Amino acid sequence: MAKEPMFETDAPVERALLVGVDRPASEWSCEESLAELERLVDTAGAETVGTITQRLKTPNTRTLVGKGKVSEIAAMVSALRADLVIFDDELTPTQQSNLEHDIKGVKIIDRTALILDIFALHATSREGRLQVRLAQNQYLLPRLRGMWEHLASNRMGGGVGSRFGEGESQLEVDRRMVRKRIEHIRIELAKLQSERATQRKARIGSGIFRVALAGYTNAGKSSLLNQLTDADALAYDKLFATLDSTTRRLILPDGREMTLTDTVGFIQKLPTTLIESFKSTLDEITGADLILHVVDASSPHREAQMQAVADILEQIGAHGIPQLLVLNKCDLIDDEQCEALARRYPQGLLVSAITGKGSPELLARIEQVANASSTVMNVCIPFDKGSFVGLAHETCTILSETYEESGTMLQLRVPPASVSSFEPFRVSLIKQ
């Protein structure tokens, strides 16, 4: 009997044409921004087949780019056999609808939709998936008229930019239902955020010093978490490999314990809907005692990435928290470049999360910052209050411990949150 012929079942890779607007006042050059957009396209599983740009002082209100450029894009779509056009700037609902009318037979999405699509691919926890769904629905609500038309169309199929409410028909999707869905997601998120807040409150109440990793996506935060804590957090060379925050115990050389939390990476033009939706995750940063701003030292766009992170930290209200600049991936640059970076950023720390270079110095700096915020106290804890001795070992640095007739004498380095717990037993204050 003849064998049945074998057919390839994998969906074909989508071919994307990228469109950028070159604005004179932009901190990122158009070329740099499009290069990053191409990496996002690769992360989403599509292939970039071409790019096209236009220099504009102000965007066209109808189609973002000019009328002649729209015709040029349509011609390139045909010549390159592209089935996806991605604009590097966020399109208004009107602009997207007009572009879909002028450029036939191709999906039109923007950078925000692409990032949301990537988040949909990478969200693993229930909270992460809910956060992404909330951001997606908030993005889609003003675009229902035009966007659902092509997302629900059978002739367009799935792929990049279409992981928005899979399996739903057009008849099911109207503004009322999307608003209802948003409300339902918010209720579910509120329950999970309440649990996270309880856990965070317990950590704050314990007096444990809290360190958060923040930085541009793919700067190596997860790898650094693994290096410093011997954790096994996911660490891929991909944009947005980590969405869910991960907290691990960090033990300093002096034996003091603290927490180290990895959070979602930042990116330029990060959608405001994502910042709102990931508020509970970003609260891990705003609630930290110290932020490690992790930078990819090997990136040619290092300065612009650092500014993008600084802007978002200010946006979420975390700019006033003490920071340490951590220049990661120094194993990917030569000694001369390392020396130049050391001169350029004298307060920065050159490290490699892969080789471990600079880790001892980083831990020493974290210890220095933690100690600077603490109070050195002499306390005498009665023997019938032994639980406070245990609390001291859990939350403080023990400088000395002796036993007297009246109780246990301890010299402690006490974090701010625990000072009130030991105040009743204070016998003297040792100045640093």
Side-chain angles (χ1 to χ4, degrees):
M1 180 181 291
K3 292 184 178 180
E4 292 292 331
M6 300 293 290
F7 295 98
E8 188 66 45
T9 57
D10 290 340
V13 175
E14 289 182 282
R15 299 168 61 83
L17 172 64
L18 312 186
V19 182
V21 174
D22 189 359
R23 295 175 182 166
S26 177
E27 293 183 0
W28 288 68
S29 72
C30 188
E31 292 75 15
E32 290 172 340
S33 192
L34 283 175
E36 182 175 83
L37 185 65
E38 186 169 349
R39 286 205 67 196
L40 290 168
V41 169
D42 178 66
T43 301
E47 173 190 6
T48 299
V49 295
T51 61
I52 184 170
T53 64
Q54 183 174 35
R55 187 173 180 83
L56 291 173
K57 287 185 178 180
T58 56
N60 185 299
T61 56
R62 184 183 181 278
T63 52
L64 185 67
V65 294
K67 183 177 179 180
K69 189 60 65 172
V70 172
S71 299
E72 190 178 339
I73 293 170
M76 286 190 69
V77 165
S78 178
L80 297 173
R81 294 181 288 109
D83 43 29
L84 178 65
V85 177
I86 306 177
F87 284 76
D88 193 33
D89 291 276
E90 185 168 328
L91 299 170
T92 67
T94 299
Q95 288 170 339
Q96 182 161 348
S97 178
N98 290 333
L99 286 164
E100 289 168 352
H101 178 270
D102 295 345
I103 306 173
K104 304 292 186 183
V106 64
K107 282 191 294 186
I108 308 289
I109 67 172
D110 58 17
R111 183 187 184 96
T112 297
L114 179 63
I115 293 174
L116 290 173
D117 195 82
I118 293 169
F119 272 50
L121 282 172
H122 290 181
T124 55
S125 71
R126 173 168 171 75
E127 184 176 24
R129 289 193 296 270
L130 285 171
Q131 288 168 331
V132 172
R133 284 173 54 198
L134 177 60
Q136 287 177 329
N137 280 279
Q138 289 174 327
Y139 175 83
L140 287 172
L141 184 57
R143 294 170 169 81
L144 287 178
R145 181 178 177 183
M147 197 163 187
W148 279 114
E149 182 177 346
H150 76 256
L151 292 180
S153 171
N154 289 331
R155 65 183 177 86
M156 285 299 184
V160 173
S162 62
R163 284 174 273 260
F164 293 83
E166 294 174 340
E168 294 169 326
S169 70
Q170 175 125 25
L171 291 176
E172 293 175 300
V173 184
D174 59 18
R175 286 185 175 85
R176 184 183 305 166
M177 293 191 69
V178 172
R179 289 193 185 101
K180 186 175 181 180
R181 190 181 300 120
I182 288 173
E183 185 61 29
H184 175 73
I185 294 171
R186 281 178 168 157
I187 291 172
E188 291 298 308
L189 271 176
K191 295 177 183 177
L192 294 175
Q193 289 169 1
S194 177
E195 295 174 7
R196 182 187 287 271
T198 300
Q199 295 170 353
R200 189 182 301 112
K201 185 177 180 180
R203 289 201 299 269
I204 294 174
S206 70
I208 294 176
F209 195 81
R210 294 153 294 150
V211 183
L213 295 163
Y216 210 78
T217 181
N218 205 42
K221 300 187 303 302
S222 297
S223 297
L224 188 61
L225 177 80
N226 292 339
Q227 169 65 227
L228 296 178
T229 66
D230 294 324
D232 56 355
L234 178 68
Y236 286 156
D237 185 21
K238 284 281 189 181
L239 302 182
F240 298 120
T242 303
L243 294 186
D244 302 303
S245 61
T246 303
T247 299
R248 295 289 183 267
R249 182 176 65 171
L250 175 64
I251 302 177
L252 295 181
D254 65 0
R256 182 174 177 177
E257 293 185 8
M258 54 186 59
T259 61
L260 181 61
T261 300
D262 184 20
T263 58
V264 61
F266 297 156
I267 197 169
Q268 62 135 344
K269 304 177 186 177
L270 187 67
T272 53
T273 50
L274 276 178
I275 294 177
E276 179 185 345
S277 300
F278 277 73
K279 185 179 183 301
S280 63
T281 303
L282 296 174
D283 280 346
E284 297 291 347
I285 298 176
T286 58
D289 299 299
L290 173 67
I291 295 173
L292 302 186
H293 180 174
V294 184
V295 177
D296 180 355
S298 68
S299 173
H301 313 308
R302 179 181 59 250
E303 296 280 351
Q305 292 174 352
M306 290 171 63
Q307 186 58 52
V309 171
D311 291 343
I312 295 173
L313 288 176
E314 183 171 5
Q315 189 175 346
I316 66 175
H319 55 292
I321 298 172
Q323 294 184 31
L324 288 180
L325 179 63
V326 182
L327 299 162
N328 190 27
K329 302 188 181 182
C330 66
D331 55 304
L332 300 181
I333 57 178
D334 58 33
D335 292 342
E336 185 178 341
Q337 290 173 305
C338 285
E339 291 173 3
L341 283 176
R343 291 192 298 271
R344 177 76 175 83
Y345 308 105
Q347 299 303 316
L349 291 160
L350 286 165
V351 307
S352 169
I354 300 301
T355 67
K357 178 182 177 180
S359 292
E361 292 80 4
L362 176 56
L363 289 172
R365 286 286 293 277
I366 294 173
E367 182 177 279
Q368 183 181 19
V369 173
N371 289 343
S373 67
S374 61
T375 302
V376 177
M377 300 173 65
N378 273 1
V379 298
C380 180
I381 299 177
F383 292 118
D384 62 350
K385 302 287 186 179
S387 61
F388 285 92
V389 176
L391 179 64
H393 281 272
E394 290 176 5
T395 63
C396 308
T397 300
I398 309 297
L399 302 178
S400 67
E401 183 173 2
T402 58
Y403 300 97
E404 308 286 342
E405 289 185 7
S406 55
T408 305
M409 292 290 297
L410 296 167
Q411 188 178 85
L412 307 174
R413 194 179 293 277
V414 187
S418 297
V419 169
S420 60
S421 298
F422 295 99
E423 191 66 41
F425 310 111
R426 185 198 289 254
V427 293
S428 67
L429 175 65
I430 305 298
K431 295 184 179 180
Q432 301 185 60

